[in-house]
Every structure is written in C-alpha cells, then in structure tokens.
Amino acid sequence: MADTDPLAAERLQVTPPHRELLDQVLDKWSLEVLNQLCERPSRFNELRHAIPTVSQKSLSATLRRLERNGIVARHVLSSRPVAVEYRITPLGKTLRHPVDVLLDWAGRHLPAIEAARRSYDEAG
C-alpha cells in the first residue's frame, strides 16, 4: 500500500545508522579536528597543539573514528623517525558545507536559544 501522505517524503527520518554516523562525525572533537585539517594536513602533535583542550586519548579516538568513516586519511611519511600525517579526504571535504550551514543557523538563532534556555531554567 502506497503512502498517501504528501509530506511523508519530507519527514526527517533519523535511523540508527544515521544517528551513529552523526554522533561519530559531528561531536565536539571531530569538528575541531576537521576544522584544523580543512586548513592543511597535520601530524598528531600539531593537532594536539592546535586543540590544546583535547586529551591525547580523545584525539586518538577521534582520529580513528574519522578514519574509519572515510572522513580522514592517515598517511605514513617516509621520514626518520617515521611520522604520520592526517589529511581530510574528498569525502570529508563534502562535510564543510553542511557544517557551515549548521553553524550559520546556530549563529543566527543563538540569542533566541539562549532566551529559551533562561526561560526554561527560571521555570524549573
């Protein structure tokens, strides 16, 4: 039986695979790492210095998640000692626009959101 609801195709459907991916790619540290790697490839310690509030453990886990999802590539440099550089992949570059849209939306609506938060907190 076909769906007769004309708005059915426009409904937001967040399936478990969508939720897992968004949780892994748009978390706090992932956004920071992606912001750095959009500028230029970086070694692990360069990322640690650029994002001083991230722990070594969190940065390692973030890079592994982004690499697993095809957003970041790990490239072994042929140097002495051997070094590893992280680069954003072509797939990762496609995240730039949707993230910019979300950040723009947040920037435009943050005053209203903060007002709603204050109102909620005062009522609670």
Side-chain angles (χ1 to χ4, degrees):
M1 182 175 187
D3 192 342
T4 58
D5 183 350
L7 298 178
E10 294 181 26
R11 285 196 190 117
L12 180 66
Q13 294 185 15
V14 182
T15 65
H18 289 113
R19 190 173 303 110
E20 179 186 17
L21 175 63
L22 294 175
D23 285 347
Q24 290 182 5
V25 173
L26 297 178
D27 72 324
K28 174 182 180 178
W29 299 125
S30 294
L31 290 174
E32 293 280 347
V33 167
L34 291 172
N35 187 49
Q36 292 300 317
L37 294 179
C38 277
E39 296 299 318
R40 64 182 176 83
S42 298
R43 294 182 182 189
F44 186 89
N45 283 333
E46 291 172 325
L47 290 169
R48 282 282 318 267
H49 291 296
I51 312 167
T53 53
V54 69
S55 70
Q56 182 172 340
K57 182 178 178 180
S58 292
L59 181 57
S60 292
T62 298
L63 288 165
R64 280 193 302 274
R65 276 193 315 272
L66 292 172
E67 184 179 7
R68 180 174 181 259
N69 285 292
I71 306 302
V72 165
R74 184 176 181 270
H75 179 72
V76 178
L77 303 173
S78 58
S79 60
R80 295 251 186 244
V82 174
V84 175
E85 184 176 75
Y86 295 91
R87 300 175 181 176
I88 194 161
T89 64
L91 178 62
K93 289 179 183 180
T94 66
L95 276 172
R96 186 65 187 229
H97 178 71
V99 169
D100 285 345
V101 169
L102 285 170
L103 291 174
D104 181 57
W105 176 87
R108 284 186 283 116
H109 297 286
L110 198 54
I113 292 166
E114 289 172 342
R117 288 174 178 170
R118 281 191 302 278
S119 177
Y120 179 89
D121 292 346
E122 290 167 3

